Each structure stands twice: as structure tokens, then as C-alpha cells.
Amino acid sequence: MMMPNVDIAARVYNHRWKIDPIVRSLLDTDFYKLLMCQSVFRNKPDTNVTFQLINRTKSVPLAEIVDEVELREQLDQVRNLRLTRGESTWLRGNTFYGKRQMFRPDFMEWLENVQLPEYELSKKDGQYELRFEGKWPEVMLWEIPALAIIMELRSRAVTKDMGRFELQVLYARAMTRVWEKITELNKLPDLKIADFGTRRRHSYLWQDWCVQAMGEGLGHAPDGKFIGTSNCLIAMRRDLEAIGTNAHELPMVYAALADTDEELKQAPYRVLADWHEEHDGNLRIILPDTYGTKGFLEGAPDWLAGWTGIRVDSGDPVENTEIAIKWWKDRGEDPTQKLVIFSDGLDEKKIEELYNKFNGRVKVSFGWGTLLTNDFRGLVDGNGLDPLSLVCKAVEAEGRPTVKLSDNPAKAMGPADEIERYKRVFGVGEQERVEVFV
Amino acid sequence: MMMPNVDIAARVYNHRWKIDPIVRSLLDTDFYKLLMCQSVFRNKPDTNVTFQLINRTKSVPLAEIVDEVELREQLDQVRNLRLTRGESTWLRGNTFYGKRQMFRPDFMEWLENVQLPEYELSKKDGQYELRFEGKWPEVMLWEIPALAIIMELRSRAVTKDMGRFELQVLYARAMTRVWEKITELNKLPDLKIADFGTRRRHSYLWQDWCVQAMGEGLGHAPDGKFIGTSNCLIAMRRDLEAIGTNAHELPMVYAALADTDEELKQAPYRVLADWHEEHDGNLRIILPDTYGTKGFLEGAPDWLAGWTGIRVDSGDPVENTEIAIKWWKDRGEDPTQKLVIFSDGLDEKKIEELYNKFNGRVKVSFGWGTLLTNDFRGLVDGNGLDPLSLVCKAVEAEGRPTVKLSDNPAKAMGPADEIERYKRVFGVGEQERVEVFV
């Protein structure tokens, strides 16, 4: 008398896949990758770069947990993806940050035909070594899918022997936790917050759930507090704003390409000069910490103080925001009109603390990542589903190593001698070490 | 690229209903109703009885919460139900309690054509007055659907303005709670437990979920701890044992029909004499508390001590079990071979306590009801989804009021003078009052 609760067509469709693909679309990536890709495509299309996946959580031996065959299948499947017509139409026709035709025809034509380059995979000390080499605009597109694949394969491995109801209760608990965080955040009257959780998410479907829960629980901007998601695919499917600006890979590669110390010192500003040409308004967000926030702002040209705001992504966020406020004042800018986007290791308590500290003094906004889309801590025995500090970074450009200092030595990257050189060039002294959690 | 996650046929099917029916099958009832119905059909087919719904939780004004039009639609819809061919086949062909053809052909033929009789619905003091009058075998079938309808309409009323994700989190929390209870219970190595939660369930789908979670979490008997469900429809659909024996309505109606005090005193034993004719093994379970457990056992004929066990459904379960153990010993029976089924106001802590007290001294078993299938306490503001102490009882037989004393005066029913008469006839003295929660 009742109909079975099964969508036969959907099941048949899913059976067609040899594997259960984690990344099913080239749009299942962060919006800023596409913005940066267009910029690189215009300014540095032929630069050879190497990206590498690095698990900073050494205590989790990923190569023992995640099956290599499955990993290769998932990576191979991403190489089969092409931008679909509907996806291309969305990128071409949509308004991003209030701007039509954000993506230029020549870039779109290239993107419609792009295939992700090959990968090199090996194992060492219980970890995977996963590298991508090639032209920068192609290689950079690997970052998010590679991270999301490893994260989700790890989730699958940990949950694979759980029963159907045990699994349902696992997700019930995780949903309850996310909802409680959202309920707490909803008490902050002027909150503006976005999902930045693609790269280290528990799974695609889970991120999709979290994003929708944010929309219902916080309300959608402009009236509500939820301003959108960094994930292009979810933004397209759920009719949300795609959010994001730029990341460390731009100054890191520009810096590695510098031939002299003076060129090196100017590299981060050249990145933003190129960006200035291309974007305005809320896309003019400074990411100042690649080689130390303090030195970067002190040495910055005046036109940068006219930008809309900064993103605070490492170090002590309070200290760095105070530095930025002082900098704006020194340059004759009104900090209350400036936007500060916090995006480093956020959870609801830290968001509340930063909101209470800075709301009104500046315009605050939050890019909430891993602890939105992957907080399963304590929901299985041991630390089996705890989030990992997994990154996929540009490690070389034209054969030269890249360097990142950031405002936290725990996040520094690069050969020791190069780190010393960069510290000298950028005038970075002693830094406080902050444990990197996610 | 992805298929929509919608079963179109199921949605179209559901749209055909004018309402969203709560009870969609005559089998969506407790198994013991069918066993008793067959017994009544054989022994008292023409007895006129009245059943009435009573909300003992006066603080919840059901008539203000549940819409009368919706209630009438749901009740009318039950009157349209007929036993389907598949349902009849299951009842005729299945093995219940190890016995084939539990239901005789003449009863099945009657059941295949039965329609539930009319109802009388009115409002008084914020409560519904819902009465069913007619021949006992038909009227008695109203008990479980009437209760389940009121309970689920109340759940729907309380949740109707909740958002999609808010609702999902409500159920996520409830799932987590049920699973934690099951996990606790699974620590009891020799546990045997059944679902008795149909009548006061939160909803049909929720009961179905809880039953399946019990199966996975505790394992299925004989190897596991979950022995089945009282709900025939769920038993049929989920391939589980249907569980249940008999209830208070049998001695209550038999007692009301007695013409003299002597006949009255014998009425509860005559019920079980009729049952003895019909059933053996695990269906020979004494429900001794209708007019006081102690007096009932003291006055019981010797053949009753040979029955398989008793069901403890009111009063202090420890005290009543001790009374039963002493009674068995006095009658030369070995209590360790006797089954004690606890079914009154159980939750995991009480189950654990009773298990630890009696496992080994007797065979213990549990019929877990309302706090399995309807524990949403605290999950919405206020007591909006707290379970109700709602019952639907035989209140008259051939124009005479029925009386129930039980081992708890808070559960007593009937006119005051009749209660006094019954207390005198059955030698019931002072009783300890225990708050009735569910």
C-alpha cells in the first residue's frame, strides 16, 4: 500500500559509476581559485609550478588509512571531468560580487576545455606524497579537489564498517552539533558569515547540508547573516553567492620568480597591483600575512590603504586586526568603513570573541571553514574523524622553491635557508608559535 | 549531472490523499488486540461495550492544540480502511509464537470484512471526549488507532511551524537520544526486549525508525536482544516477531458483566480460563493487576501457577515481582523457569535496575513503550512534545460501568461507589500512589 522509499532512477544512475566519485564537477572548488586562475591565465600563463599535498597532522598515517587504489581512482576520475555547458553558462551569465561577466570570454573558452594535469603519487613514512606539475593555471585547479578527495576517502575509511543506524546516529550527532553552533552564532545581531569549508570538509554531501543549515538558521543576506559559500558548485545548485578573493599562492609564486632581493620585496605588492587592475569593491581584499603582516603593511604603497579590507588568516587575529586598524588610521582611512575577514581556525566561540571585539570598530566578516564542515570530533572512538591540517601548496615555481612565512612559524613553508633569506628581506623577527589545528 | 533525489512516483502517490493519513492499515495496531479480538469474537461476540479516550495529562489541553477538522478526517479515514489481501495472507500464513494458523478461518473471514464503528467526538474543558460504542470485537479495534492519531496530530501541531533544518535537527537529537539508550541497554548481556510503543508514539515513521534502530543496536533474537514489536504492520514490513498477549480490557469487561459479587470475584479467573483453552507456551502470561496483584494471586486456581509467566504493568515492579516469586514457590513452581514481562513506564535506567535485580532469579523480559517511541522531552521549547498519559479504555459493558483498580490508585478508573465495591470484593486495602508519567 505504501510506495517504496527508493528512487530507482537515481540508484541506477549511481550504479553506472565504477566508483562513487567524490568530486563530480570542476565547479566543486573554491570560487577564489577561479578568480586567481583567471588572473594567472592573463598574467603568468606559462609559468611552471609544482603543487604538493602536505599533511601537517603527522600523527594520522593517511597512507595506512586511505587505500591507494581508491585514491588513484578518485584522482583519475577528476581528470575525466570537463566543465559542462550548464556550468559554463552559470559562470558566464551569473553576477559575482555585483559584477556581470566576471570571467572573460578568452578565459572561459580555455576553462571549457581544460583537463587537470597528471599527478605523481607515492608513499613515504605512512603519508602520501602527491605532487602536481605543469602550467600554473592548470596545476592550481588541483588544490581543492585533491584535498577534498583525501579528506572524504579518510571519512569513508573510518566509517566503512559502521551499521546503517549507527551511521545515521553519527550524522544525527554531527547535525545537532552544527545546529547548536549556528544557534549560538545567530545571537550576534550584525553577523556576516560565509562557508569556507570545501577543502577540508568531511564530505561533499555533508558540506552541502551544513551550508543549507546555515541559510535556514542564520537567514540569507542581505536581511540575514549568511552571505554565501566559497564552493562554486553549491553556490550554483543552491542559488547562493559564491564567496572568495585571493590566496597565498599568488605572492608565493611571484616571490619565487623574483631574481633579486629587491624584486622579492616588491613581489607581494605586484600581485596586488595586478589584482587592482582587474577587480574593485569587495574583491579588493588584502591578504597581508604571507611574509608577515606588520612588515607588509608598513611597506605598502598608499593605494593599498584605499582597498576595501583585509583577510586575517594566521597569527593572533586580535593583534593583526589592531595592526591593520592603526595602519588605516595612519594612512588617513576610516577603519569603521573597512572590512576585516577572519578565516583562520574559526569556531563559534572564536567568532563570537572576534565579533564582540571588533564589530563597529571595523566591518567584520567571517569565512568559516573546517570546524563548520568537518567537526566530527569525539563522535567515533579515538580521533578517527578529527579534522586534519591538510594543505596543498605551490612548492616550486620554475624550479625554485616557494616560501611562506605567515604570522605563525608553525605555518611556515620552504627550505630553511630560503626561509632565513625571506625573513631578512621582509624584516620578520621573532614570531609567536601558535598550534595549527586545522 | 546528478539525478534529483526525489521519488516522483512516491510523491504523486502521496498527493492522492486528501489528508496525510496517520493510520494507513488495520494492521497498524498492537498484536494483542488481534489475539484478544479473536478471543472476544469467540466468547463474547455480541457484548455491547463503550470505549473512551482519556487524557490523564490534564495540563495539556489537547482540544486547543489539535484541530477538530483534522482529527475527524483522520478518524474517518480509519473507518475507510479494510484488511488488504496481503495483510490477511500475512495473518493467516505467518507463525506467531511458534504456532501456525494462530487466527482461525471464521475470525479471519470476519476480520477481512470488518469496518471500525462510528465515533462520537465532542469537546469539554479543553479536552476531547471521544467515545466508541458497539459490539466489543469491533469497538476494541479503535483503541490503538485512536491513541496513535491523537498523539501524532499533536506532534504535527507542535512542529508545524518549524523550518526544514530545524526539523531535521529535532529528529537528529531524538535519534541520538534513542541510540544512547540502546547503547546503554546493550551492556546487559542477557537482555530480551520488545517494542511496545505503538499507542503513544510520536509518529508512525518515528516508531518504525526506533524499531529498526533497536534491531541494529541490540541484534535480533535468538542471538540478539531485540525480540520484536507489538506493532503488526511494522512486524510484517520489517520481518519481525509480533509480540503481545492480553490486556486489562478482558477482565474489566468480564467483571462488569458479573451479576453478583461472587461472579465478580471469579471474573478475572474466567478470562484466563478462556485464554487457557486457546493458548499455550509464551502466550500464557498472567496480567494480575487489574484488581490488585496480591489478592489475585492468593485467590488464583493452581493451574494458573503452571502458566509461563506474568506481566507487571502497575505499582512497584520490584514488590510485585517478589510477590509473584513467592507465589510460585508456594505453589511448588521454580521461579527461575518463569517469565516476568515488565511493561510499565520503562526507560533505560529502570530496565537496567529491574534487569540487575531479577535476571537469573526469573526470566526477565521488557516491553518498552512510550519512552522508546516518544521521548522528545526538552527538544522543543517548554513541554510541547513531552509524552502524554493518554489511554483509551472500555468504560462500559452492557450499560454497566467498568472498573480498574490496578496496583496504583493513580491508574484507577470507574465510578467511586463501584471502585469501593470492587475494593471490598477483591480485598484491596491501602495502595501506594505512584505518579503516572506515561
Side-chain angles (χ1 to χ4, degrees):
Chain A
M1 196 171 133
M2 277 185 180
M3 303 289 295
N5 190 16
V6 174
D7 182 340
I8 297 171
R11 188 178 280 193
V12 169
Y13 175 83
N14 283 322
H15 277 170
R16 282 190 217 152
W17 298 90
K18 190 169 73 81
I19 56 170
D20 180 0
I22 290 168
V23 175
R24 295 184 180 204
S25 160
L26 287 181
L27 286 192
D28 187 7
T29 192
D30 279 339
F31 180 65
Y32 76 178
K33 292 302 294 197
L34 298 184
L35 286 183
M36 290 191 291
C37 190
Q38 173 166 260
S39 180
V40 170
F41 177 77
R42 168 187 266 185
N43 298 305
K44 309 267 183 202
D46 296 319
T47 305
N48 289 298
V49 299
T50 303
F51 270 61
Q52 185 173 343
L53 187 116
I54 298 150
N55 177 18
R56 296 188 289 214
T57 310
K58 298 289 176 213
S59 57
V60 176
L62 279 176
E64 294 168 18
I65 296 167
V66 171
D67 182 73
E68 186 176 334
V69 172
E70 288 179 25
L71 175 54
R72 286 183 184 277
E73 284 174 341
Q74 292 290 344
L75 295 169
D76 291 343
Q77 127 77 18
V78 172
R79 295 199 65 229
N80 290 331
L81 292 175
R82 297 295 181 280
L83 201 68
T84 70
R85 194 161 156 172
E87 291 164 352
S88 176
T89 301
W90 182 76
L91 285 177
R92 285 173 183 268
N94 199 14
T95 301
F96 298 102
Y97 281 82
K99 182 177 170 183
R100 292 214 172 272
Q101 288 178 302
M102 173 74 80
F103 298 102
R104 287 184 301 274
D106 61 333
F107 174 69
M108 283 308 305
E109 199 171 316
W110 172 84
L111 193 64
E112 282 162 3
N113 293 292
V114 79
Q115 175 185 30
L116 267 59
E118 292 186 3
Y119 59 90
E120 296 165 39
L121 179 66
S122 59
K123 290 183 184 181
K124 190 178 172 189
D125 300 332
Q127 300 294 339
Y128 282 114
E129 294 210 325
L130 180 56
R131 289 165 69 93
F132 310 93
E133 288 181 39
K135 300 294 177 204
W136 191 5
E138 294 172 2
V139 168
M140 67 187 294
L141 295 178
W142 260 118
E143 178 185 356
I144 310 298
L147 291 167
I149 283 171
I150 297 253
M151 292 303 296
E152 187 160 346
L153 281 179
R154 188 261 203 150
S155 302
R156 290 184 185 180
V158 172
T159 55
K160 76 171 187 301
D161 294 326
M162 291 174 74
R164 186 175 148 214
F165 284 78
E166 194 183 2
L167 270 174
Q168 209 176 353
V169 170
L170 172 69
Y171 287 102
R173 286 179 165 141
M175 283 177 186
T176 300
R177 179 176 289 174
V178 169
W179 193 254
E180 281 166 0
K181 293 182 187 188
I182 291 172
T183 305
E184 276 308 300
L185 290 177
N186 201 29
K187 295 175 183 167
L188 309 177
D190 300 320
L191 182 70
K192 296 293 170 193
I193 189 164
D195 156 46
F196 275 20
T198 300
R199 66 190 59 208
R200 283 186 286 271
R201 68 193 182 197
H202 172 81
S203 72
Y204 172 77
L205 291 175
W206 181 246
Q207 182 186 16
D208 189 42
W209 189 91
C210 293
V211 168
Q212 292 179 78
M214 290 267 280
E216 182 181 301
L218 299 173
H220 291 274
D223 298 330
K225 298 163 187 169
F226 180 56
I227 58 176
T229 172
S230 64
N231 187 295
C232 298
L233 185 64
I234 295 176
M236 181 178 79
R237 291 210 175 129
R238 303 295 175 193
D239 205 10
L240 300 169
E241 291 291 324
I243 304 283
T245 56
N246 55 65
H248 299 105
E249 72 177 279
L250 295 179
M252 285 168 74
V253 173
Y254 274 56
L257 297 175
D259 289 321
T260 66
D261 285 359
E262 185 48 34
E263 270 184 43
L264 174 59
K265 191 157 173 57
Q266 290 307 316
Y269 306 120
R270 277 196 296 115
V271 167
L272 298 186
D274 284 349
W275 199 262
H276 195 90
E277 289 293 301
E278 212 163 336
H279 300 295
D280 48 24
N282 281 346
L283 285 172
R284 286 188 176 167
I285 301 295
I286 306 166
L287 179 64
D289 68 327
T290 315
Y291 304 116
T293 293
K294 198 157 176 291
F296 177 89
L297 293 179
E298 282 168 3
D302 280 338
W303 54 264
L304 258 184
W307 273 32
T308 304
I310 66 164
R311 182 154 72 93
V312 176
D313 198 46
S314 68
D316 179 342
V318 172
E319 190 181 317
N320 280 333
T321 306
E322 297 290 3
I323 288 171
I325 289 172
K326 183 171 182 305
W327 175 67
W328 280 315
K329 284 183 181 165
D330 290 346
R331 304 280 175 123
E333 298 283 334
D334 177 3
T336 65
Q337 299 308 304
K338 295 295 185 182
L339 182 64
V340 176
I341 302 172
F342 296 101
S343 62
D344 182 32
L346 295 178
D347 208 356
E348 82 283 7
K349 293 239 181 320
K350 194 178 276 187
I351 292 169
E352 189 184 349
E353 177 195 326
L354 293 168
Y355 174 92
N356 286 331
K357 188 112 191 151
F358 292 112
N359 184 43
R361 294 182 61 201
V362 293
K363 296 179 182 175
V364 293
S365 182
F366 298 90
W368 192 11
T370 309
L371 292 177
L372 167 62
T373 61
N374 199 359
D375 188 359
F376 286 66
R377 289 175 293 176
L379 299 187
V380 296
D381 288 340
N383 61 356
L385 286 177
D386 285 12
L388 305 172
S389 184
L390 196 71
V391 294
C392 183
K393 293 284 187 189
V395 291
E396 283 179 28
E398 297 296 356
R400 299 175 184 176
T402 65
V403 169
K404 182 185 172 191
L405 300 177
S406 96
D407 290 322
N408 177 4
K411 282 186 163 184
M413 287 180 42
D417 56 342
E418 285 294 302
I419 289 180
E420 284 314 305
R421 174 176 160 241
Y422 275 63
K423 279 190 166 185
R424 175 174 51 74
V425 169
F426 290 103
V428 172
E430 281 301 303
Q431 295 175 304
E432 191 191 349
R433 190 178 186 87
V434 183
E435 208 51 55
V436 175
F437 173 55
V438 287
Chain B
M1 194 172 133
M2 277 186 180
M3 303 288 295
N5 190 16
V6 174
D7 182 341
I8 298 171
R11 187 177 279 193
V12 169
Y13 175 82
N14 284 322
H15 275 171
R16 281 190 219 150
W17 298 91
K18 191 169 72 83
I19 56 169
D20 180 0
I22 291 169
V23 175
R24 295 185 180 205
S25 159
L26 288 180
L27 286 192
D28 187 5
T29 193
D30 279 339
F31 180 65
Y32 76 177
K33 292 302 294 197
L34 298 184
L35 285 183
M36 289 190 291
C37 190
Q38 173 166 260
S39 180
V40 170
F41 177 77
R42 168 188 266 184
N43 298 305
K44 308 267 182 203
D46 295 318
T47 305
N48 289 299
V49 299
T50 303
F51 271 61
Q52 185 173 343
L53 187 117
I54 298 151
N55 176 18
R56 295 188 290 214
T57 310
K58 298 290 176 212
S59 58
V60 177
L62 280 175
E64 294 168 17
I65 296 167
V66 170
D67 182 72
E68 185 176 333
V69 172
E70 288 180 25
L71 175 53
R72 286 183 183 276
E73 284 174 341
Q74 292 291 344
L75 295 169
D76 291 342
Q77 125 78 18
V78 172
R79 295 200 65 229
N80 290 331
L81 292 175
R82 299 292 182 280
L83 201 68
T84 70
R85 194 159 157 172
E87 291 164 353
S88 175
T89 301
W90 182 76
L91 285 177
R92 286 173 183 270
N94 199 15
T95 300
F96 298 102
Y97 281 83
K99 183 176 169 183
R100 291 212 174 272
Q101 289 179 301
M102 173 73 82
F103 298 101
R104 287 184 300 275
D106 62 333
F107 174 70
M108 283 307 304
E109 200 170 314
W110 172 83
L111 192 66
E112 282 163 0
N113 293 292
V114 80
Q115 176 185 29
L116 267 60
E118 293 186 2
Y119 60 88
E120 295 167 39
L121 178 66
S122 59
K123 290 184 184 182
K124 191 178 171 189
D125 299 333
Q127 300 294 340
Y128 282 114
E129 294 210 324
L130 180 55
R131 290 166 69 93
F132 310 94
E133 288 181 39
K135 299 295 178 202
W136 191 5
E138 294 173 2
V139 167
M140 67 188 295
L141 295 179
W142 261 118
E143 178 185 356
I144 309 299
L147 291 167
I149 283 171
I150 297 253
M151 292 303 296
E152 187 161 346
L153 282 179
R154 189 260 203 149
S155 301
R156 290 184 185 179
V158 172
T159 56
K160 76 172 186 301
D161 293 326
M162 291 174 74
R164 186 175 149 214
F165 284 78
E166 193 183 4
L167 269 176
Q168 209 175 353
V169 171
L170 171 70
Y171 287 103
R173 287 179 164 140
M175 283 176 186
T176 301
R177 179 175 291 174
V178 169
W179 192 254
E180 282 167 359
K181 293 182 188 189
I182 290 171
T183 305
E184 277 306 300
L185 291 176
N186 202 30
K187 296 175 183 167
L188 309 177
D190 300 320
L191 182 70
K192 295 294 170 194
I193 189 164
D195 155 45
F196 275 19
T198 300
R199 66 191 59 209
R200 283 185 286 269
R201 68 193 182 197
H202 172 81
S203 73
Y204 172 78
L205 290 175
W206 181 245
Q207 182 185 16
D208 190 42
W209 189 91
C210 293
V211 167
Q212 292 178 79
M214 290 267 279
E216 182 180 302
L218 298 174
H220 291 275
D223 299 331
K225 297 162 188 169
F226 180 56
I227 58 176
T229 172
S230 63
N231 187 294
C232 297
L233 185 64
I234 295 175
M236 181 178 79
R237 291 210 174 127
R238 304 294 175 193
D239 206 8
L240 300 168
E241 291 291 324
I243 303 284
T245 55
N246 56 63
H248 299 105
E249 70 177 280
L250 295 179
M252 285 168 74
V253 173
Y254 275 56
L257 297 175
D259 289 322
T260 65
D261 283 0
E262 184 48 33
E263 271 184 43
L264 174 58
K265 191 158 175 55
Q266 289 308 314
Y269 305 121
R270 276 195 296 115
V271 168
L272 298 187
D274 284 350
W275 200 262
H276 194 91
E277 289 293 302
E278 213 163 334
H279 300 296
D280 48 24
N282 280 346
L283 284 172
R284 286 189 176 166
I285 301 294
I286 306 166
L287 179 64
D289 68 328
T290 314
Y291 304 116
T293 294
K294 197 156 176 292
F296 177 89
L297 293 179
E298 282 169 2
D302 279 341
W303 54 264
L304 258 185
W307 272 32
T308 303
I310 67 164
R311 182 156 71 93
V312 176
D313 198 47
S314 67
D316 179 342
V318 173
E319 189 182 317
N320 281 333
T321 306
E322 296 291 2
I323 289 172
I325 289 173
K326 183 171 183 305
W327 175 67
W328 279 315
K329 284 184 181 165
D330 289 347
R331 305 281 177 122
E333 298 284 333
D334 177 2
T336 66
Q337 299 309 303
K338 294 296 184 182
L339 182 63
V340 177
I341 301 172
F342 296 101
S343 62
D344 182 32
L346 296 177
D347 208 355
E348 82 284 7
K349 292 237 180 324
K350 194 178 276 188
I351 292 169
E352 191 184 347
E353 177 195 326
L354 292 169
Y355 174 93
N356 286 331
K357 187 111 193 155
F358 292 112
N359 184 42
R361 294 183 62 201
V362 293
K363 297 178 181 175
V364 293
S365 182
F366 298 90
W368 192 10
T370 309
L371 292 177
L372 167 62
T373 60
N374 199 359
D375 189 0
F376 286 67
R377 290 175 292 175
L379 299 185
V380 296
D381 287 341
N383 60 356
L385 285 177
D386 285 12
L388 305 173
S389 183
L390 196 70
V391 293
C392 184
K393 291 285 186 189
V395 292
E396 282 178 28
E398 297 297 355
R400 299 175 185 177
T402 64
V403 170
K404 184 185 173 193
L405 300 178
S406 97
D407 290 323
N408 177 4
K411 281 186 163 183
M413 286 179 43
D417 56 341
E418 285 294 303
I419 288 181
E420 285 314 305
R421 176 176 159 240
Y422 275 62
K423 279 190 165 183
R424 175 174 52 74
V425 169
F426 289 104
V428 172
E430 282 301 303
Q431 295 175 304
E432 192 191 350
R433 190 177 185 88
V434 183
E435 208 51 54
V436 176
F437 173 54
V438 288

